[in-house]
Amino acid sequence: MTVHVSGCSSAAADQLVSREIRTESGQREVFCGLTGIVWLHRKIQDAFFLVVGSRTCAHLIQSAAGVMIFAEPRFGTAIMEEKDLAGLTDANDELDRVVTQLLARRPDIKLLFLVGSCPSEVIKLDLSRAALRLSQRFSPGVRILNYSGSGIETTFTQGEDACLASLVPELPVQADAKPSLLVVGSLADVVEDQFMRMFDALGVRNVAFFPPRKSTALPSVGPNTKILMAQPFLPDTVRALEERGAKRLAAPFPLGVEGTTGWLRAAADAFGVDPAQFDKVTAPNRARAERALAAFKNELGGRRIFFFPDSQLEIPLARFLSRELDMQLVEVATPYLHREQLAEELKLLPAGVAITEGQDVDDQLDRCRLARPDIVVCGLGLANPLEAEGITTKWSIELVFTPIQGYEQAADLAELFARPLVRRAKLVA
Amino acid sequence: MQLTVWTYEGPPHIGAMRVATGMEQLHYVLHAPQGDTYADLLFTMIERRNKRPPVTYTTFAARDLGKDTAELFMTAARNAYARFKPQAMIVGASCTGSLIQDDPGGLAKSLGFSIPVIPIDLPAYQRKENWGASETFYQLVRAIAGPKAPPPGTKRPDRPAGQRAKCNLLGPTALGFRHRDDVAEITRLLAQLGIDVNVVAPMGATPADLTRLGDADFNVVLYPEVASQVASWLQRIFHQPFTKTIPIGVSATREFVREVAGLAGVDPEPVLAVASTRLPWYSHSVDSTYLTNKRVFIFGDATHVIASARIASEELGFKVVGLGTYSREFGRDVREAAAKYGVEALITDDYLEVEAKVAELHPELVLGTQMERHIAKRLGVPCAVISAPVHVQDFPARYAPQMGFEGANVIFDTWVHPLMMGLEEHLLAMFKDDFEFKDGALPSHLGTGHAPASAPAVAEVAVALPQSAPVLDGAASEPAPTAPAPTGAVWAPEAEKELLKIPFFVRGKARRNTERFANENGVATITVETLYDAKAHFAR
Ligand code: SF4
Ligand code: SF4
């Protein structure tokens, strides 16, 4: 294991509170980026995700999806076998065969992602060429793209980043010169609709969400596009959009009342919405959300929380819990910390909070046991063992699958943390 | 390459993890990328274990490739050794780890630990989970029990007179289908016979316990998928015979009792005389008449499939219409079993093939894995789970073995409940004009709201149509299957009305059968006649 503790001193961070960030490398306890498929296939409803990988990869998405999907899922695996590796068959021919088989079975597919895995990356199977080749064959009916969700390159939520980045070149060029707003990152449909009504009320027009629900309705992008990030784990997507001329709006993430307000305000300011109008439009929602949150302040205020790294949502969550619910942050660990895109969040974190980037899970468990926090946020592999040690946990994966963004969900988000504590208090046996 | 939607078995290193996690004081150092740590949740969430699996992953990343992945491995092994102080360590690589060719075995040896370090080489692109478990168990036993082997040519000394016989129970692992309860049940049965259990392995054993394997008089193989190889080796090296009968079902359990009694030199009859299970009587009772020749499709691991086919056919009076396994290693045994029922075994690990087969055979009950549960649900056929791959519901809080006499009771309940028609079916016929039984009346356990009745139930139709009832029990909360398969035939209004007279719990099946019949016979419009033609055609 290596640890280095670095001070914040880069020029870009001049407004940042100076804080120490522990960097750990050791055994991690995280999903790989393939997991993103589990929510992306629900979001982009006409897309199919074909992992080109091993039996392990197939087993991973099956386990992550919990074998709980009734209909045939819109994902699968082309499992590489000995003969593919030994060069007894041409892996490209094999892939073409599998894709042809799949498309014959599922004529409803409009967009097919070939998803790279560790084995396909290690043997350097060129999926971008395969995607090109297959696209020529199956266009115009099916668009075929590729990205890597491999565990040697991505953790958990980074798979979504890689997927969306691969879609960026497909986005049409924005034709008119009217400013437009692109919200980037998968959100639950209900949350999208709420935000859409909000933007409407603010008079912000030309708003699109990325990824779209249908791959046939890709939003356009160009120099007049402003990006509002809905998820903190999308640096590559944002970079690709910036290369197309779009501009990212600096904003916190829309978690909690403060985050949502800051997030909406960033858009409102960029679109010249009168601040008085902004206050008028958002005030009722803010008030309602604050009322709903108040109930949880008693429950959560003063409680000590420890974050294991998982989804990269940790920093905005910690900010919300500490500022709006008065929770105490024992340690906030995140798999990666994108300093620039999280700058607005880092400013809002209390000074002196322990931030860890990366992981050495055994050391982290030692620190956690020593600190005895009231609640721990962690992945599924750690939750039950910690519960067995008497430590209350919250699965971080639930925070990725549940609608938690926006005013209307602020109290729901708080409830996700309160519920395990309430439960532990209730149980006497 | 193989296109898969779901897979029955994980990769072979998951099999190794099942062995390591089942054991105590053993640690597994696995050369693997970070995403492979997902496997931990199988044990902590699905099996609800309260400890992390004893596995240290090196979690190498792309930036480590080509430079220090070997160093990473050694660091991980050193740290694991220092932190967990295991009695023995196994080392190996996952599918990606094996591609980078770091030789975990050699690297670990070079660290000079004072405990046995056993390299487990698993060909990840050829083999699967059960094979991995078997191989891991075998390598462990060979390395740890091997040094205690008697010199070649020596005979096993006879057991001193008056000393109780003892055996090992081989095969249970972590994440096994009811392994925990099977071990308890068989241990109890053996105790009744006056036989002691020496070591249970892998589950519950420490590496030190494995050194005592040779002390037993014989071995009981509970799960051949995991234990066959070890049992054969122990027979060759330690001259221990092993059992061939898997005690699942009443007859098999009786045979098992005789077999172990023979190996232990004890009298089985007293135990057989008192052994009680309700399955035979329940099966003979009048209420079970409706089970006669229910058409059943069976799929799972070889052990459970072979045992289930026998129970289904001989102990419950079902008709086995299809049977198969994903355990290719045991394809021959399953083919032999299938031949007994006059069907051809389906040996495949392709979920889609199994699905197609179930759709084609139209069974009235599916006995399968969690995968078949999904298939059956989609096709509107009742299903009971008999085999891994497992799900959180396969680790019930209650005691629910599959083996032994109690296991037979459990099996009767689990298989028959999905079919829960029996007496109720007759009542439906008898009280067909009673308002409670009117079409659309909700089952009583689903609260007070009654749907408005639209037509009286014509139960005679229901009785003869092949019954598919995702009724009562757990299935009640799911919507009854309604959406018909895409079909060319259209329903005439009178036929549609007639269909509505069929009780809701068989209507979906009647609709599908009729449409299938219409399509197969080129009928474009489904009339009342077609409905009854189909009914006659499918009536068995
Ligand atoms: S945020 Fe960092 S990059 Fe910026 S100063 Fe802190 S450690 Fe460095
Ligand atoms: S970490 Fe790599 S090998 Fe493992 S499941 Fe993820 S992509 Fe597949």
Side-chain angles (χ1 to χ4, degrees):
Chain A
M1 185 205 78
T2 40
V3 176
H4 81 263
V5 177
S6 61
C8 286
S9 57
S10 80
D14 50 16
Q15 307 124 303
L16 288 185
V17 195
S18 164
R19 46 176 95 255
E20 293 204 330
I21 294 172
R22 170 196 286 265
T23 306
E24 273 187 349
S25 65
Q27 178 179 332
R28 292 192 163 199
E29 184 70 44
V30 285
F31 286 135
C32 68
L34 294 184
T35 332
I37 291 170
V38 177
W39 64 90
L40 287 169
H41 89 116
R42 304 303 310 165
K43 187 71 203 173
I44 315 176
Q45 291 164 13
D46 52 1
F48 192 100
F49 294 80
L50 180 67
V51 177
V52 183
S54 62
R55 186 164 295 282
T56 312
C57 309
H59 200 233
L60 162 91
I61 41 173
Q62 174 164 334
S63 310
V67 200
M68 289 199 184
I69 293 159
F70 300 144
E72 185 175 316
R74 286 188 310 278
F75 55 77
T77 308
I79 296 184
M80 295 194 284
E81 296 164 301
E82 185 72 3
K83 55 185 196 290
D84 300 304
L85 297 177
L88 298 177
T89 52
D90 182 332
N92 284 301
D93 291 348
E94 282 292 289
L95 188 56
D96 291 7
R97 180 180 62 75
V98 166
V99 167
T100 308
Q101 186 188 348
L102 174 68
L103 293 178
R105 185 180 162 84
R106 300 294 301 269
D108 51 315
I109 298 170
K110 296 279 173 294
L111 172 63
L112 173 66
F113 288 101
L114 303 177
V115 188
S117 66
C118 302
S120 67
E121 298 291 316
V122 170
I123 68 165
K124 302 203 162 37
L125 187 58
D126 190 341
L127 291 184
S128 62
R129 272 186 47 205
L132 213 59
R133 178 179 71 237
L134 286 159
S135 277
Q136 281 163 1
R137 208 160 118 203
F138 291 102
S139 72
V142 192
R143 199 197 300 256
I144 300 175
L145 301 176
N146 78 289
Y147 72 89
S148 170
S150 82
I152 53 174
E153 291 155 314
T154 60
T155 67
F156 197 20
T157 50
Q158 285 178 303
E160 175 170 335
D161 191 18
C163 173
L164 297 189
S166 80
L167 256 177
V168 170
E170 302 295 306
L171 302 185
V173 178
Q174 191 179 354
D176 52 27
K178 276 190 289 175
S180 66
L181 179 68
L182 189 60
V183 179
V184 180
S186 297
L187 292 169
D189 291 358
V190 54
V191 177
E192 271 187 23
D193 294 344
Q194 287 167 7
F195 283 150
M196 204 56 165
R197 284 198 295 275
M198 198 57 109
F199 289 127
D200 218 43
L202 288 169
V204 176
R205 306 278 175 245
N206 278 332
V207 182
F209 289 83
F210 183 56
R213 299 178 197 184
K214 287 251 176 262
S215 72
T216 44
L218 291 175
S220 59
V221 62
N224 300 312
T225 308
K226 306 251 188 315
I227 300 168
L228 197 51
M229 292 175 76
Q231 300 286 10
F233 40 72
L234 302 166
D236 291 352
T237 305
V238 168
R239 197 173 310 120
L241 287 165
E242 285 171 343
E243 277 163 20
R244 302 261 325 244
K247 310 267 179 317
R248 182 179 68 90
L249 302 175
F253 290 87
L255 299 178
V257 179
E258 187 183 32
T260 304
T261 305
W263 190 76
L264 288 170
R265 178 165 304 170
D269 289 351
F271 282 76
V273 177
D274 173 29
Q277 167 72 2
F278 180 85
D279 284 338
K280 193 167 144 247
V281 169
T282 55
N285 302 63
R286 275 187 344 232
R288 183 163 62 205
E290 273 161 9
R291 261 198 320 276
L293 274 181
F296 293 104
K297 236 183 186 158
N298 283 340
E299 199 61 56
L300 295 171
R303 303 280 200 151
R304 299 165 69 247
I305 187 164
F306 190 110
F307 284 87
F308 280 79
D310 204 57
S311 63
Q312 297 192 52
L313 283 167
E314 295 85 0
I315 302 275
L317 285 171
R319 181 263 303 157
F320 162 68
L321 294 170
S322 70
R323 291 175 63 95
E324 297 185 37
L325 293 158
D326 298 336
M327 290 188 82
Q328 291 179 36
L329 308 174
V330 178
E331 175 167 341
V332 182
T334 185
Y336 292 100
L337 181 59
H338 198 283
R339 273 86 177 160
E340 196 190 319
Q341 291 174 2
L342 278 157
E344 301 302 308
E345 291 286 349
L346 290 167
K347 277 186 217 164
L348 296 173
L349 272 188
V353 59
I355 300 179
T356 305
E357 185 181 22
Q359 179 169 38
D360 184 301
V361 69
D362 285 314
D363 287 357
Q364 215 161 39
L365 281 166
D366 286 347
R367 293 199 295 275
C368 179
R369 290 177 183 124
L370 201 68
R372 296 292 306 180
D374 295 301
I375 185 166
V376 164
V377 181
C378 63
L380 293 175
L382 296 177
N384 264 339
L386 284 170
E387 291 281 352
E389 292 181 32
I391 296 178
T392 305
T393 61
K394 170 79 250 145
W395 312 341
S396 50
I397 193 165
E398 209 175 335
L399 300 159
V400 179
F401 291 148
T402 314
I404 56 170
Q405 295 82 2
Y407 292 125
E408 311 311 332
Q409 280 68 239
D412 298 349
L413 179 54
E415 208 267 346
L416 285 177
F417 293 91
R419 181 183 295 243
L421 291 165
V422 169
R423 180 166 180 74
R424 184 165 290 268
K426 271 180 85 86
L427 299 179
V428 291
Chain B
M1 277 179 208
Q2 190 201 352
L3 174 63
T4 59
V5 181
W6 299 123
T7 61
Y8 289 96
E9 289 184 82
H13 73 264
I14 296 291
M17 278 184 76
R18 288 178 52 189
V19 169
T21 306
M23 288 181 61
E24 307 284 336
Q25 310 286 325
L26 175 72
H27 202 85
Y28 188 12
V29 179
L30 184 63
H31 210 15
Q34 59 187 355
D36 290 1
T37 59
Y38 80 89
D40 288 359
L41 79 89
L42 304 174
F43 300 93
T44 63
M45 299 302 290
I46 295 182
E47 191 173 4
R48 270 195 249 244
R49 278 182 173 259
N50 59 6
K51 281 193 295 207
R52 297 173 66 211
V55 182
T56 294
Y57 305 82
T58 59
T59 61
F60 56 81
R63 63 176 178 277
D64 305 313
L65 293 182
K67 40 185 229 266
D68 47 9
T69 50
E71 185 51 45
L72 263 181
F73 180 87
M74 299 216 278
T75 308
R78 249 187 245 113
N79 288 346
Y81 179 72
R83 179 179 282 271
F84 298 103
K85 303 183 175 61
Q87 288 178 6
M89 195 185 265
I90 58 176
V91 298
S94 77
C95 55
T96 307
S98 69
L99 289 177
I100 58 177
Q101 303 184 332
D102 274 334
D103 182 23
L107 292 172
K109 279 258 148 59
S110 74
L111 293 171
F113 298 147
S114 58
I115 52 168
V117 175
I118 301 133
I120 310 283
D121 238 330
L122 303 169
Y125 297 89
Q126 286 171 27
R127 303 296 191 149
K128 298 192 294 268
E129 179 176 332
N130 276 330
W131 187 90
S134 166
E135 178 68 13
T136 303
F137 186 31
Y138 171 61
Q139 296 297 347
L140 265 170
V141 169
R142 242 179 46 139
I144 294 174
K148 300 267 177 165
T154 45
K155 247 192 82 212
R156 232 192 136 67
D158 286 331
R159 178 157 40 97
Q163 187 178 312
R164 282 161 66 104
K166 56 185 176 187
C167 65
N168 302 311
L169 299 190
L170 303 180
T173 63
L175 215 64
F177 185 78
R178 306 293 165 83
H179 289 191
R180 178 191 64 195
D181 295 346
D182 285 348
V183 166
E185 187 64 20
I186 295 306
T187 304
R188 194 148 70 192
L189 187 61
L190 292 166
Q192 282 169 11
L193 286 161
I195 302 167
D196 293 331
V197 171
N198 179 48
V199 175
V200 180
M203 200 160 74
T206 61
D209 291 333
L210 298 185
T211 61
R212 298 188 290 110
L213 280 173
D215 299 347
D217 299 298
F218 62 96
N219 289 309
V220 169
V221 173
L222 293 181
Y223 308 101
E225 282 84 352
V226 178
S228 274
Q229 208 183 349
V230 164
S232 308
W233 183 82
L234 288 171
Q235 182 172 44
R236 260 195 335 274
I237 306 298
F238 286 90
H239 315 292
Q240 289 168 315
F242 62 91
T243 56
K244 314 284 188 299
T245 316
I246 309 300
I248 303 181
V250 178
S251 308
T253 300
R254 289 180 179 283
E255 281 164 30
F256 173 81
V257 166
R258 294 208 166 83
E259 188 181 13
V260 286
L263 291 172
V266 298
D267 179 9
E269 295 311 324
V271 167
L272 290 174
V274 299
S276 73
T277 157
R278 298 193 184 91
L279 188 150
W281 162 239
Y282 274 40
S283 215
H284 279 94
S285 73
V286 166
D287 187 46
S288 291
T289 305
Y290 74 101
L291 300 177
T292 313
N293 281 331
K294 284 277 177 202
R295 307 174 66 255
V296 60
F297 175 86
I298 307 171
F299 195 89
D301 67 20
T303 298
H304 288 92
V305 157
I306 295 170
S308 297
R310 180 173 180 189
I311 299 170
S313 169
E314 298 173 13
E315 298 177 16
L316 292 169
F318 295 160
K319 182 169 169 50
V320 177
V321 294
L323 160 166
T325 186
Y326 56 80
S327 316
R328 288 185 182 278
E329 293 87 354
F330 292 79
R332 213 181 44 143
D333 307 72
V334 174
R335 275 195 202 92
E336 273 169 23
K340 283 191 213 143
Y341 308 102
V343 298
E344 199 183 325
L346 177 67
I347 314 286
T348 182
D349 57 358
D350 185 348
Y351 165 87
L352 300 175
E353 243 185 274
V354 180
E355 184 183 61
K357 195 73 183 172
V358 177
E360 178 201 321
L361 289 171
H362 261 260
E364 291 160 88
L365 175 67
V366 170
L367 299 174
T369 71
Q370 289 293 337
M371 312 286 160
E372 281 66 43
R373 197 167 64 80
H374 289 282
I375 292 173
K377 181 177 286 168
R378 202 147 57 238
L379 298 173
V381 184
C383 176
V385 175
I386 58 157
S387 155
V390 288
H391 186 272
V392 65
Q393 76 179 37
D394 297 320
F395 296 93
R398 69 181 187 281
Y399 181 62
Q402 299 288 290
M403 293 186 170
F405 294 117
E406 182 60 22
N409 292 338
V410 170
I411 285 174
F412 183 90
D413 288 346
T414 346
W415 296 12
V416 170
H417 280 173
L419 289 167
M420 277 256 275
M421 299 285 297
L423 195 54
E424 286 166 37
E425 186 182 288
H426 294 293
L427 289 175
L428 272 170
M430 274 190 262
F431 299 113
K432 65 185 174 193
D433 295 325
D434 190 299
F435 74 97
E436 284 285 349
F437 288 95
K438 273 203 187 106
D439 191 51
L442 283 176
S444 52
H445 68 285
L446 287 186
T448 50
H450 278 211
S454 53
V458 179
E460 297 91 328
V461 180
V463 171
L465 283 170
Q467 277 107 21
S468 122
V471 262
L472 311 178
D473 213 32
S477 52
E478 288 145 15
T482 47
T487 167
V490 279
W491 286 78
E494 328 80 75
E496 192 90 56
K497 255 165 108 190
E498 192 73 13
L499 183 69
L500 284 178
K501 296 175 188 166
I502 297 173
F504 70 96
F505 49 82
V506 286
R507 200 180 303 142
K509 178 69 166 270
R511 177 189 283 277
R512 265 194 316 281
N513 275 351
T514 309
E515 286 168 357
R516 178 164 163 240
F517 178 82
N519 290 339
E520 282 170 4
N521 292 284
V523 176
T525 306
I526 296 173
T527 62
V528 175
E529 286 307 302
T530 324
L531 180 63
Y532 286 107
D533 286 346
K535 170 179 173 280
H537 176 79
F538 286 111
R540 289 183 181 93

